[in-house]
Amino acid sequence: MYDGMTLFVLAFIIICLCALGSLFRLAGKLHPLEIVNYLLFSGAVSQQIFSVISLNMGRIWFVEVSSVFWILELGRVIIFPSLLVWFIYGMLVWRKQPLKQIIFLAWWLLLSIGIEHAYPWLGLVEFRDWSALEIIVKELTRLGLVFTYVFLFRRLLRKEGSLA
Amino acid sequence: MIPPRILDINEWYILISALVILSVSVWIPRRLPVTHIITVLMFNFFLAVTADHILAAPPYDLYDIMDVPQFEYWDVFIYLFNYPPAAYLFVQIYETVDKRRFSPAKLIFLWAAGAWGLEWFSNLFNVYTYKGWSIWYSGPVYVAVFTVNYWFHRWLIQLRASSEPEK
């Protein structure tokens, strides 16, 4: 029979597939190239940030077994990038309503940080000496990088006439 | 991230090879829209970061890149200026060659062989330190990488065609 960890990995893979599938709902709202680009860029950025924090700074420790590694990897490559693409969509939809944008940002940060903190709660990772401010700075850095890319890529799409 | 202390032989090799590949990339005529090219570059940036993160970091830890096992500035340089332009050249050449005479499979094997040769050559300059990896494993990996690139490029063309406003 399957052990608890195997079932958890399988459940996580299903969650990842749902997260990816949810992006199809954005197909008519964002340009398809935008969805692909933002997903790839935020996936790459998430992995680079994790490498720096875990390998160089030693601020995140995780159990070095394959199942835990793959759960974290899928989170970085699929879950967080998908969340970011939804966030970009929200910011673009409410671009003329800053109050809604701020509320959406707050909810998004709560969800994103909440998911990240489910890992130590499940005993998969251990955050070492993190303050709330550092966590928010890390998330805002990631958002800043992604939004710079969004701004530049949308400009190019407009220049090519692919975006109104 | 760890800054480079001195420029030794592997950093010089990476710099010169990036310069060569970027010069060739700029020199060949562009046959695709800029956003298509950026998507191909971004895909390969993501692919390189993900593959190295899976294979070169714990728990697998099969090889190190450059001087230290940790993440350093030169790793980012390689991800940005060495790997993606090679895939960009692959896509551009695919668009340029006569497809009746030069099938995608031929081009994939040619590019994989070229990438494998470059990896072998880069080992002379201590770019990679293999721990559980072997250069022989890299051959099939490069074939897979360029096959995926070929599919991705074809998919992007379809995606773009389906999303273009009707004129």
Side-chain angles (χ1 to χ4, degrees):
Chain A
M1 283 301 287
Y2 298 113
D3 60 21
M5 200 61 194
T6 311
L7 288 174
F8 185 62
V9 173
L10 286 173
F12 204 77
I13 290 171
I14 293 168
I15 293 169
C16 287
L17 290 174
C18 293
L20 277 181
S22 76
L23 298 178
F24 282 99
R25 294 182 65 84
L26 299 178
K29 288 141 188 160
L30 290 174
H31 192 283
L33 282 188
E34 281 190 278
I35 299 174
V36 175
N37 264 276
Y38 304 157
L39 201 66
L40 294 172
F41 184 75
S42 48
V45 165
S46 297
Q47 289 186 95
Q48 305 261 27
I49 290 176
F50 183 83
S51 292
V52 173
I53 293 172
S54 63
L55 285 176
N56 294 26
M57 297 162 79
R59 302 283 299 274
I60 298 176
W61 174 86
F62 66 96
V63 189
E64 286 184 11
V65 292
S66 296
S67 50
V68 173
F69 171 79
W70 282 106
I71 288 170
L72 297 176
E73 187 65 22
L74 286 172
R76 282 190 299 273
V77 173
I78 296 174
I79 301 287
F80 287 105
S82 303
L83 273 176
L84 263 165
V85 175
W86 273 102
F87 180 66
I88 292 162
Y89 165 70
M91 284 291 146
L92 292 173
V93 162
W94 293 309
R95 80 186 103 186
K96 287 175 186 164
Q97 294 159 288
L99 192 65
K100 277 189 180 170
Q101 281 186 329
I102 291 166
I103 292 170
F104 188 62
L105 171 68
W107 273 110
W108 187 87
L109 278 175
L110 199 70
L111 181 66
S112 180
I113 293 170
I115 291 173
E116 206 160 4
H117 280 72
Y119 291 148
W121 183 72
L122 291 165
L124 305 179
V125 300
E126 187 187 309
F127 292 121
R128 289 177 173 161
D129 307 323
W130 281 89
S131 68
L133 182 70
E134 282 175 319
I135 292 167
I136 292 171
V137 167
K138 178 172 84 75
E139 287 304 319
L140 292 178
T141 305
R142 189 160 57 171
L143 284 182
L145 286 169
V146 170
F147 269 86
T148 308
Y149 188 74
V150 170
F151 172 74
L152 295 172
F153 194 74
R154 283 179 75 85
R155 254 179 82 163
L156 276 174
L157 277 175
R158 270 196 210 100
K159 214 171 160 184
E160 282 179 1
S162 303
L163 207 66
Chain B
M1 261 188 289
I2 298 171
R5 275 170 292 182
I6 47 159
L7 281 182
D8 53 27
I9 192 162
N10 50 11
E11 278 94 9
W12 280 112
Y13 171 78
I14 289 300
L15 261 177
I16 293 167
S17 59
L19 198 63
V20 170
I21 202 164
L22 287 172
S23 306
V24 176
S25 304
V26 170
W27 174 71
I28 61 164
R30 185 164 60 83
R31 290 177 182 271
L32 293 159
V34 176
T35 49
H36 187 110
I37 293 166
I38 287 176
T39 311
V40 169
L41 293 172
M42 185 50 66
F43 177 64
N44 284 278
F45 173 57
F46 172 82
L47 213 59
V49 169
T50 307
D52 279 348
H53 196 88
I54 291 170
L55 297 171
Y60 300 109
D61 203 9
L62 298 173
Y63 55 87
D64 288 335
I65 307 164
M66 304 303 276
D67 300 323
V68 289
Q70 285 92 356
F71 196 59
E72 56 173 314
Y73 286 108
W74 284 100
D75 294 357
V76 183
F77 187 88
I78 294 173
Y79 295 144
L80 288 174
F81 301 113
N82 286 69
Y83 296 142
Y88 162 72
L89 281 178
F90 167 75
V91 167
Q92 285 286 15
I93 299 293
Y94 169 74
E95 284 299 316
T96 310
V97 294
D98 181 358
K99 287 168 192 74
R100 284 168 301 181
R101 290 177 61 197
F102 224 85
S103 69
K106 270 186 195 165
L107 202 62
I108 287 167
F109 278 102
L110 187 71
W111 237 253
W116 188 85
L118 273 176
E119 185 176 325
W120 176 84
F121 193 63
S122 67
N123 280 329
L124 303 176
F125 299 91
N126 307 323
V127 174
Y128 302 101
T129 309
Y130 298 138
K131 292 163 165 178
W133 191 257
S134 156
I135 189 150
W136 297 105
Y137 303 157
S138 301
V141 171
Y142 286 126
V143 172
V145 164
F146 290 110
T147 306
V148 169
N149 263 288
Y150 167 72
W151 288 334
F152 186 72
H153 168 61
R154 302 291 311 158
W155 180 65
L156 281 184
I157 290 172
Q158 284 176 12
L159 206 62
R160 185 177 278 280
S162 67
S163 64
E164 284 303 312
E166 284 179 30
K167 286 175 184 166

